[in-house]
Amino acid sequence: MKLTFHGHSAWEIETGGLRIWIDPFITGNPHADVTADQAQADYIIVSHAHRDHLGDTEAIAGRTGARVIAMNELAIHLAEKGLATDALQIGGAMSFPFGRVKLVPAHHSSSLDGTYMGSEAGILLRDQEGTVLYHAGDTGLFSDMQLIGRAGLDAALLPIGDKYTMGPDDAVTAVELLQPRVALPMHYNTFPFIAQDAAAWKSDVEERTDTKVLVLQPGESCVVVPGGLA
Ligand code: NI
Ligand code: MN
């Protein structure tokens, strides 16, 4: 599984010859390294409806024909816009040609222009090679992260920005609960009010846990396999 960071909480996954985007916030993302016109996708998974996560989903899916995987209410909204969607609910999983996706709890909110869009979600993805990825979405710290960790996480994408999600200290505790092989920080430095020191967070995590931290700059990639980084 090749993982590319596009800034904020936007990630591109390549596995089994397919491209899956998570939270494709490109337009308005000051750190995006691509434009929405350049993004290629077979599937888009959206954690929740906030603009900095739903992002360019409609434009990219409209142009590429990518199927959108999202919580029920958000999926219905996008289907009404003409997109191909698959609706899930928290705790429910579904198999796709690239692997299996389960939506898991996150503690946040999810609305679009004031309209309720179902609950927020985290994303668990197991690809056909058995690599397990967790994208936490926007969330505060919660102790059931240890249940999510029982999936055996090869990589965890965790917000550290504070203000709208857990901050660096709680994100270290999250790593303790999740016990992923590698943790990658996200949802920080996009805007001044979520500025954080990712290098300091890496030191804290690696001091307190056995998890390795990889800080990717927008446009950078890594390869994750069962057992951690390739
Ligand atoms: Ni949000
Ligand atoms: Mn957000």
Side-chain angles (χ1 to χ4, degrees), residues 198-210:
W201 186 71
K202 174 181 165 73
S203 299
D204 287 349
V205 170
E206 293 183 345
E207 213 166 272
R208 281 171 51 182
T209 74
D210 293 330

Side-chain angles (χ1 to χ4, degrees), residues 8 52-53 138 187:
H8 205 57
D52 59 319
H53 297 262
D138 277 357
H187 211 277

Side-chain angles (χ1 to χ4, degrees), residues 182-207:
V182 59
L184 299 93
M186 63 177 183
H187 211 277
Y188 70 99
N189 285 1
T190 321
F191 307 106
F193 48 81
I194 54 172
Q196 298 296 342
D197 183 345
W201 186 71
K202 174 181 165 73
S203 299
D204 287 349
V205 170
E206 293 183 345
E207 213 166 272

